[in-house]
Amino acid sequence: MASGGSAAFADGSARSDGGSGRSVDSPAASGGAGEPSAVPAARVGPAEGGAVPAPAVFGSGGGAEPGAGAPVPPAPRSGEGDRPQPLHEPDAYSTPPYGEPGPWAPAPPVQRPVPTPAQGTSVPPQLPDGGADSGYGHPGYGAPGQPGAVYGHPPAYPQDSAQPPAGQWLQYDPWATPGSQVLGVPLSQVGEPPRRRGRFGPLVAGAVLLALVAGGVGGGIGAYIERNGGINRVELEQAPRENRDRAPDSVAGIAAKAVPGVVTLHVNGGGEQGTGTGFVLDGQGHILTNNHVVDPAGDGGSIRVTFSGGETVRASLVGKDSGYDLAVVKVTGVSGLTPLPLGNSDNVRVGDPVVAIGAPFDLQNTVTSGIISAKDRPITAGGDKGDGSDVSYVDALQTDAPINPGNSGGPLVDTTARVIGINSAIRAADTGPGTEGQSGSIGLGFAIPINQGKRVAEELINTGRATHPVIGVSLDMKYTGDGARVGGKSKDGTPSVVPGGPSAKAGVRPGDVITAVDGRRVHSGEELIVKIRAHRPGDRLKLTLVREGKERTVTVTLGTSGDD
């Protein structure tokens, strides 16, 4: 380092710590003749009284061109502590080329990063000339013109040197090729830096794990979307499914008890077919239904019975009666039958809730509910044959429970699932004179009281035929007045009051008008027949009649159809 208080900076220049003007110091002499010394970035001014030489030009080897224009070496130092003298008078205005470097000064060489020497690596010694700074931006780098020196790279030292020159920092050149030297020392002598543990293994494993997790989550989301139609699909709240019985007296509770005992009948024969309903009477396989349901089968037709569970079997006709519109069929070889219990129609009151079960329009096991709208409603049904042989007379229970074609023969049950009537007829809505009525239910349905149905069913099962209670008179069906009038002589000349019959014994005469039965008014001949048919043969009835304007009451003991 130069004496006299000047310090070497990283850019290779030296600055004076005294004097009024700025001076440019020369670096340390390189020693041999013909070897140029290191040149700083700033230009050097001419000697006092001499001409201004041309600027030095540096080639790839770092040396100056010989001949004219060669740089003038600085004046030698006089001794220890002597300060170098400027080559010209100080320029107070710092005018180039005598002042600071101008904009045309050459740029300093490229500066490489200086990493910290690896642990355990020895620091090379100073250069042979004792210089610690080559003046090119990094300690130990060669100057232009030195053998093997390249800008920005350390010089090559002799291979036989045991150690690099002292005073130089150990530099690691990351741009060096394998087998190169660091500061002239082979890499094998410098020592291998500690190896870093691989980082890519854990990163790859983490990436694979993350991909697996993401794939699983994505697959789950995709499956959810496929099943549920998207994340944003509306899902409405719903009550959970429950398995509990309904109250026994509710419609559901009644239906659960009654439906297993109800059957559907399909009848074919004589070019006709029909569908109706029936219900099981006992464990022997007897089934009660309407006469008009099984009538199409005739004598050689077929009757098939389908149970509520779907099992279908053939049935045989036991007996039928058109006057009551009732019939009994029987199935055999069927186990697990569920007979329906029979109630008492005399206990029924208007307004009582009821349930009708059947197969309207062949829709099996259909359940409808309503109330008893009226009692003792006299109705007549049938009459399609024209001779009156198919006309039925029913003192019916009226209900608003919907009844439609196919419900015929099905049970009308009360709140305890007991049968109180047999659904038989409906009132159709008239749409005008000469037009047919509505075929569906309008809330006017009629059922045969079970008390009458029970008696007729027992007779059909036991004897194959039913008996009809009679009073032994012929009625004038053309009478338009109030009540039922006993006729005169019949067309064949027979008397209107059967001699020795129930009415003859009670004192009834031709022309009498019967106005009440057991105190209940009758307004026509049909109503009188209905009231009589509602009883059993042998029952005693009080008849109120008008003769020659006078009202009187007689008692009649009902006979059977064989007596009239």
Side-chain angles (χ1 to χ4, degrees):
M1 181 177 292
S3 60
S6 64
F9 284 82
D11 59 359
S13 63
R15 306 199 180 200
S16 172
D17 57 0
S20 60
R22 298 183 180 180
S23 63
V24 179
D25 194 5
S26 63
S30 60
E35 292 185 6
S37 52
V39 180
R43 293 186 178 183
V44 179
E48 185 176 356
V52 178
V57 180
F58 297 94
S60 61
E65 293 288 342
V72 180
R77 298 181 181 180
S78 59
E80 186 66 22
D82 293 352
R83 298 176 60 87
Q85 299 298 322
L87 301 180
H88 56 81
E89 292 298 329
D91 182 7
Y93 299 97
S94 299
T95 302
Y98 304 108
E100 294 293 332
W104 53 83
V110 178
Q111 310 242 343
R112 301 287 187 179
V114 183
T116 304
Q119 183 177 2
T121 305
S122 60
V123 179
Q126 297 285 341
L127 291 174
D129 58 357
D133 190 350
S134 63
Y136 280 85
H138 291 283
Y141 283 0
Q146 282 187 313
V150 181
Y151 288 143
H153 289 274
Y157 294 99
Q159 297 296 328
D160 56 353
S161 174
Q163 291 185 352
Q168 299 297 315
W169 297 352
L170 179 62
Q171 303 289 332
Y172 171 69
D173 186 0
W175 294 274
T177 58
S180 62
Q181 299 176 344
V182 177
L183 295 180
V185 180
L187 290 177
S188 59
Q189 298 183 17
V190 174
E192 185 176 358
R195 296 182 180 178
R196 296 183 180 179
R197 303 180 64 179
R199 300 179 181 176
F200 293 101
L203 291 177
V204 172
V208 171
L209 179 60
L210 181 61
L212 292 176
V213 173
V217 173
I221 294 175
Y224 176 85
I225 293 174
E226 181 179 359
R227 288 195 303 267
N228 299 281
I231 297 177
N232 296 327
R233 180 177 177 175
V234 175
E235 296 267 347
L236 302 179
E237 293 185 3
Q238 185 180 20
R241 183 175 181 178
E242 58 184 19
N243 185 15
R244 63 180 180 87
D245 296 332
R246 298 296 186 265
D249 59 348
S250 66
V251 175
I254 296 169
K257 292 180 181 179
V259 166
V262 181
V263 300
T264 302
L265 289 86
H266 295 88
V267 182
N268 292 279
E272 298 181 48
Q273 61 181 8
T275 301
T277 308
F279 59 93
V280 179
L281 290 173
D282 55 27
Q284 300 178 32
H286 291 106
I287 296 171
L288 182 61
T289 186
N290 283 138
N291 172 72
H292 70 265
V293 171
V294 299
D295 191 57
D299 294 332
S302 65
I303 302 173
R304 292 181 297 114
V305 174
T306 302
F307 292 88
S308 61
E311 181 183 4
T312 300
V313 297
R314 287 188 174 273
S316 60
L317 180 64
V318 175
K320 63 180 182 176
D321 186 273
S322 60
Y324 290 111
D325 193 22
L326 292 172
V328 174
V329 298
K330 184 179 181 180
V331 295
T332 57
V334 179
S335 61
L337 296 176
T338 307
L340 294 185
L342 306 181
N344 192 321
S345 53
D346 289 341
N347 298 332
V348 176
R349 297 293 181 267
V350 174
D352 285 347
V354 290
V355 173
I357 306 174
F361 300 100
D362 204 15
L363 298 174
Q364 188 176 357
N365 300 332
T366 297
V367 177
T368 57
S369 65
I371 61 170
I372 295 295
S373 304
K375 290 181 62 176
D376 304 324
R377 188 73 77 187
I379 63 167
T380 58
D384 296 335
K385 293 182 179 180
D387 57 0
S389 61
D390 63 336
V391 177
S392 60
Y393 301 89
V394 180
D395 195 20
L397 298 172
Q398 179 181 325
T399 180
D400 65 347
I403 297 175
N404 291 284
N407 273 108
S408 295
L412 184 70
V413 300
D414 60 13
T415 56
T416 59
R418 296 178 300 188
V419 181
I420 59 173
I422 302 100
N423 301 317
S424 180
I426 60 174
R427 177 67 168 88
D430 295 330
T431 57
T435 60
E436 295 184 357
Q438 178 179 333
S439 61
S441 173
I442 60 172
L444 293 174
F446 303 96
I448 302 171
I450 193 59
N451 289 9
Q452 181 177 334
K454 176 180 179 295
R455 180 183 67 83
V456 174
E458 290 173 345
E459 291 181 348
L460 292 175
I461 293 172
N462 294 326
T463 65
R465 61 184 296 268
T467 60
H468 298 174
V470 295
I471 61 174
V473 298
S474 295
L475 299 176
D476 182 5
M477 303 304 291
K478 294 182 179 179
Y479 177 70
T480 58
D482 188 41
R485 187 175 70 176
V486 179
K489 290 184 179 180
S490 62
K491 293 182 180 180
D492 57 0
T494 60
S496 58
V497 178
V498 177
S503 292
K505 293 178 181 179
V508 178
R509 298 178 183 180
D512 289 347
V513 177
I514 301 173
T515 59
V517 176
D518 284 343
R520 294 187 298 173
R521 296 285 299 183
V522 293
H523 303 283
S524 64
E526 288 84 358
E527 285 192 29
L528 179 61
I529 296 173
V530 168
K531 299 301 181 184
I532 299 299
R533 293 278 179 95
H535 294 82
R536 294 173 179 268
D539 290 346
R540 295 173 61 89
L541 299 178
K542 289 183 179 182
L543 301 180
T544 301
L545 52 88
V546 176
R547 182 187 300 168
E548 297 177 355
K550 294 181 180 180
E551 187 177 271
R552 65 186 62 191
T553 301
V554 298
T555 301
V556 177
T557 300
L558 298 178
T560 61
S561 56
D563 297 332
D564 52 10

